[in-house]
Amino acid sequence: MSSSASRTSTFLTIAGVTVLSGFLAYAVYFDYKRRNDADFRKKLRKDKKRVEKAATASSSTVDFTSGSRADVLKAEMAKIRAEPLPEGTREKEQYFMEQATLGEQLCTQGPAFAVSAAFAFFRALRVYPSPVELIMLYQSSLPPEVFAVILELTNLDVKERAEGYYDHFPPKSWNVRVQDKDGKKVLVADKDFEKGDVIYKEYPIVAALDWDLLEAGSHCAYCLKLVHKVSEYRPESDLLNTVYCSRDCYDKAKQQYHGILFTLDPLLPPDLDAEGVAADPEKRKAAQEALVAHLKSNKKLADFLVAKWVALQITIETSKVIPGSVSPAKDLPKYLDDDAPEYAIGDHLERLRFLGAEVKEEDTEILRNVFGTALPGLENSLTEDRHATTLGKMLYNAIGICYSGGRDDRPQFHERPEDQERTRTPYGTSHQVGSGLFLVSSYIQHSCEPSVRPSFTAGNHKLSLIATRAIAAGEELTMAYVDVAQHEGESAADARRRRRFELARGWRFKCECARCAAEDEGAGEADLGVTVDESKVEDAAARFEAKKAEAEAAETD
Ligand SMILES: [Zn+2]
Ligand SMILES: [Zn+2]
């Protein structure tokens, strides 16, 4: 047996459900790590230098007759992107075998075929369960000139996906685009609007009903609509005792997150779990009960949103590997235009700002247990770090869902003001029926003199963004995160103080809007507890932004 044949067999190991769960955890977490883990990136850079040195020796024989090296790679990347990925585990496995074998064959034909070999290995990489490990394996087993090209392609892929994101998000039909302003991403109108116009409508990617309503069974746990006895749907054996306005809402909830979090339904069809490693129903039930107890005891919707979010990521990735299954993403908004490269839903969250948040180790463990007992290995979808960041994103971005002007019977807070959960809503969190993460609307910055308001006229979780005055194309859209009205018996100074405290507590910034400046009576202000904007962006997002700015500056020089 030749050495290249034995090399091939070392990475042709896709089989069995343990690898599959590894795949899912990777898709949810490790692809993220690939972009964010500083040590890993450092290692790649080091390898790249070493490999480039080795590759120079043979580069004279590599054929780039059809253009410069970068152009050839870019063109090939575009071609690879346009190729549909095989669906289903078996198809993926077969595709992987074909490409890896082709790569091996090309390798044996000498350095002149290094680039073609690398393209084949890169194609194989796209469907491999654990890309990071495969890259390591390539590095130790492939000729350096081939590995050098694979690294270049990988970097190009990550870079193009990162930098081109806002060219595709959101699609043109939303009438808005994301732009930079003072180091922040803001949402800008793409055309003129009259006062009262609906700019776009957006469904949340995850939403949660207030706990008192969930327990009362008065509202739909999925779409947050008031439930009518005639059409309501109450699932049997449901740990949460939830009620839905219709069977349709239940089916969606179950597919997206409810099934994995609160039912004992197997995640995989039986033929994919022939080894029977999934599901010890007793353990799984205990893990879910612990989660329900935890959610009920602290009653924070952000925690519930985090659990649903991670579950949704898993169910979407799972659907990709189950032949013939339908992705839960079909019921979610379409966030990208048609010619966008493939992004995971994690790519959307990664770009949102967040607040520093702390999670207890045992709280992370509760969630990890729920996933790990659904399918061993899935606990790796969440780390304590990632948990804290995700929670920080929900706390910073969630919008309060209030319809018909909001309700007045929400249970009073008993915590200190600084511990209360706040959601973005001009009606005040105390009037909401629940909250949700709206990926596009998350980019709308606060102003005490807003140009838009979220409206839930459908009486459910569907947000309509309404212009509160005429807006010109190119103008930034702003909404009020808190109740900015001056109420009866309240002076302008009192109202100013109240809203600025709420903003500082909920979103950790000192409002610098025009109205706040105009109403400043110069009397000095009580300490808001915050001096700078404390919201953060993740390293990966910040890094790519910095590089992009650098490149643009170089171009204009
Ligand atoms: Zn519903
Ligand atoms: Zn203000």
Side-chain angles (χ1 to χ4, degrees):
M1 194 195 263
S2 78
S3 68
S4 68
S6 66
R7 269 201 316 253
T8 308
S9 61
T10 47
F11 47 77
L12 294 188
T13 50
I14 297 190
V17 79
T18 30
V19 177
L20 184 65
S21 72
F23 178 16
L24 296 172
Y26 259 104
V28 172
Y29 176 67
F30 283 95
D31 185 46
Y32 164 83
K33 191 179 166 77
R34 176 162 67 137
R35 296 190 297 278
N36 288 273
D37 187 312
D39 287 341
F40 178 66
R41 282 200 323 277
K42 210 187 279 166
K43 182 164 171 13
L44 273 191
R45 267 201 304 276
K46 231 189 251 161
D47 288 345
K48 193 169 169 248
K49 277 189 198 134
R50 197 171 53 75
V51 161
E52 272 167 355
K53 221 187 224 171
T56 335
S58 55
S59 64
S60 55
T61 52
V62 176
D63 180 23
F64 281 111
T65 45
S66 53
S68 82
R69 185 183 177 85
D71 290 343
V72 171
L73 296 186
K74 262 197 180 155
E76 187 67 16
M77 178 66 84
K79 211 170 103 192
I80 292 175
R81 279 235 184 84
E83 294 166 6
L85 282 175
E87 283 170 26
T89 323
R90 231 154 261 141
E91 290 75 11
K92 281 200 166 91
E93 186 181 338
Q94 197 191 347
Y95 178 84
F96 178 84
M97 298 278 264
E98 282 165 15
Q99 294 300 329
T101 311
L102 177 64
E104 286 294 326
Q105 283 167 359
L106 290 165
C107 271
T108 59
Q109 297 180 32
F113 291 87
V115 176
S116 315
F119 290 154
F121 284 119
F122 183 74
R123 284 187 167 87
L125 185 66
R126 291 177 82 211
V127 295
Y128 194 74
S130 25
V132 176
E133 277 169 13
L134 185 60
I135 287 178
M136 301 294 187
L137 208 52
Y138 279 164
Q139 187 210 343
S140 61
S141 59
L142 297 178
E145 67 271 19
V146 175
F147 184 64
V149 181
I150 296 174
L151 266 193
E152 272 179 76
L153 286 170
T154 307
N155 288 337
L156 193 64
D157 184 39
V158 170
K159 186 168 167 267
E160 287 189 348
R161 275 181 16 178
E163 289 178 353
Y165 177 77
Y166 292 109
D167 298 338
H168 305 289
F169 172 96
K172 303 278 165 285
S173 56
W174 286 64
N175 300 321
V176 292
R177 63 176 187 276
V178 176
Q179 239 177 36
D180 291 298
K181 190 193 160 197
D182 306 331
K184 264 195 177 175
K185 298 282 178 206
V186 303
L187 205 63
V188 164
D190 233 359
K191 58 176 213 186
D192 298 342
F193 292 102
E194 295 295 327
K195 180 179 176 176
D197 280 355
V198 177
I199 298 169
Y200 62 73
K201 293 178 182 176
E202 181 175 17
Y203 286 98
I205 188 154
V206 282
L209 183 62
D210 277 353
W211 271 100
D212 64 309
L213 301 179
L214 190 77
E215 282 171 345
S218 55
H219 291 64
C220 177
Y222 180 75
C223 77
L224 278 58
K225 188 168 120 179
L226 195 64
V227 160
H228 291 291
K229 289 280 166 234
V230 200
S231 54
E232 70 170 28
Y233 182 77
R234 287 174 187 268
E236 283 168 46
S237 69
D238 177 4
L239 272 178
L240 268 184
N241 249 331
T242 37
V243 178
Y244 294 87
C245 71
S246 62
R247 179 65 201 247
D248 184 47
C249 271
Y250 174 65
D251 288 341
K252 284 177 184 163
K254 194 173 163 201
Q255 263 209 336
Q256 291 173 14
Y257 55 81
H258 189 87
I260 186 170
L261 292 176
F262 305 115
T263 78
L264 299 179
D265 295 354
L267 194 62
L268 298 176
D271 60 320
L272 265 183
D273 186 17
E275 297 150 63
V277 299
D280 173 338
E282 287 304 310
K283 272 194 191 154
R284 192 174 174 198
K285 190 158 178 246
Q288 293 180 353
E289 281 168 354
L291 175 64
V292 170
H294 169 67
L295 291 173
K296 271 190 181 168
S297 74
N298 81 351
K299 293 193 161 46
K300 296 270 193 250
L301 291 188
D303 278 320
F304 209 165
L305 292 175
V306 170
K308 288 183 177 187
W309 169 264
V310 182
L312 176 64
Q313 277 186 290
I314 293 174
T315 55
I316 289 178
E317 294 303 330
T318 307
S319 74
K320 289 184 192 165
V321 298
I322 299 174
S325 72
V326 182
S327 173
K330 74 173 193 324
D331 296 315
L332 299 172
K334 202 173 156 296
Y335 294 111
L336 298 160
D337 60 23
D338 290 331
D339 59 356
E342 209 189 322
Y343 291 96
I345 63 162
D347 286 303
H348 299 303
L349 193 74
E350 189 178 306
R351 288 167 170 81
L352 296 185
R353 299 187 82 86
F354 66 106
L355 294 175
E358 274 178 25
V359 293
K360 294 194 198 107
E361 197 184 332
E362 57 259 40
D363 293 350
T364 305
E365 219 36 53
I366 288 174
L367 264 184
R368 283 168 57 92
N369 262 335
V370 169
F371 301 126
T373 54
L375 188 64
L378 271 191
E379 64 278 10
N380 294 323
S381 303
L382 194 70
T383 61
E384 212 177 312
D385 246 21
R386 198 64 203 139
H387 190 181
T389 307
T390 309
L391 179 65
K393 302 225 172 188
M394 299 304 169
L395 288 171
Y396 187 73
N397 294 290
I399 290 179
I401 296 171
C402 297
Y403 42 76
S404 320
R407 64 175 173 137
D408 292 317
D409 58 352
R410 194 170 192 255
Q412 295 286 309
F413 292 116
H414 297 293
E415 305 126 304
R416 299 177 306 162
E418 46 272 50
D419 294 336
Q420 289 169 10
E421 184 169 31
R422 288 187 170 79
T423 55
R424 300 177 180 185
T425 163
Y427 305 100
T429 304
S430 57
H431 297 287
Q432 73 173 29
V433 294
S435 67
L437 180 69
F438 297 79
L439 289 176
V440 176
S441 301
S442 289
Y443 286 93
I444 306 174
Q445 302 296 313
H446 167 86
S447 167
C448 302
E449 224 172 12
S451 59
V452 300
R453 69 181 163 85
S455 166
F456 296 88
T457 40
N460 63 15
H461 59 171
K462 183 165 84 178
L463 180 156
S464 300
L465 195 70
I466 314 281
T468 52
R469 53 175 160 80
I471 297 169
E475 202 181 312
E476 183 191 345
L477 306 179
T478 54
M479 68 175 263
Y481 289 1
V482 299
D483 177 1
V484 294
Q486 183 182 341
H487 293 274
E488 235 182 271
E490 199 181 33
S491 71
D494 286 345
R496 182 179 183 271
R497 190 179 315 115
R498 173 175 53 76
R499 66 181 191 251
R500 289 169 65 81
F501 261 110
E502 274 194 53
L503 291 167
R505 282 177 180 142
W507 294 270
R508 311 293 307 154
F509 73 95
K510 207 169 178 166
C511 187
E512 287 173 5
C513 76
R515 183 174 159 201
C516 278
E519 290 179 0
D520 185 2
E521 291 167 354
E525 182 168 50
D527 185 13
L528 292 175
V530 54
T531 47
V532 290
D533 188 330
E534 292 177 13
S535 67
K536 303 189 266 196
V537 283
E538 287 190 65
D539 287 351
R543 202 172 61 246
F544 286 118
E545 285 308 313
K547 275 202 185 140
K548 198 177 156 202
E550 235 171 67
E552 279 165 5
E555 259 171 43
T556 51
D557 276 351

